[in-house]
Amino acid sequence: MTANTPRQRMTDKRRQHIFSENCTGHNVAPCCICERLIHRHNDRWIVEHKRALALLGKDVNTNCGPAHFDCAQVKTHTEDLPRIRKAKRQQAMHEGTKEISRRFARPEGVVYDWQKRRYVPQRA
């Protein structure tokens, strides 16, 4: 995985344009996550990237959509962040930069006895 896609500043004009592209009625657009309607001036909403920038999603209007603030928070914390963490772990393992100290290391001078289901001192 390469570096994250650079994020452009989300101007008010761009934010309103994204909402207008998804409008189904007068100042009403569906949430890109839950499909419930968002009223432009009455509901709390944000522009959500459908594919996260950290997961190599592009910062273009077609990858963005209006979403309820609460829906976006849930999506970010339950879907995007775990995927981003997993991708970073995979990249670190692939590049060999991840420390192997998190893996279990067998203690010195012992062997695992499968019948007793525990480590026992090694016999000479």
Side-chain angles (χ1 to χ4, degrees), residues 36-52:
R36 288 183 295 142
L37 294 180
I38 299 172
H39 298 277
R40 184 188 310 235
H41 302 294
N42 297 337
D43 294 335
R44 186 174 181 197
W45 63 278
I46 63 169
V47 173
E48 175 70 15
H49 287 88
K50 296 171 186 172
R51 181 175 177 95

Side-chain angles (χ1 to χ4, degrees), residues 33 48-55 71-87:
I33 299 170
E48 175 70 15
H49 287 88
K50 296 171 186 172
R51 181 175 177 95
L53 297 180
L55 295 172
C71 295
Q73 293 290 76
V74 170
K75 176 186 173 278
T76 298
H77 293 290
T78 60
E79 294 178 23
D80 293 345
L81 292 179
R83 283 182 180 168
I84 291 167
R85 285 192 290 265
K86 182 178 180 180

Side-chain angles (χ1 to χ4, degrees), residues 6 15-17 31 46 49 56 65 79 102 106 117:
R15 185 174 188 260
Q16 295 304 327
H17 181 70
C31 175
I46 63 169
H49 287 88
L56 302 181
E79 294 178 23
R102 291 183 65 191
R106 181 173 54 96
R117 296 184 180 159

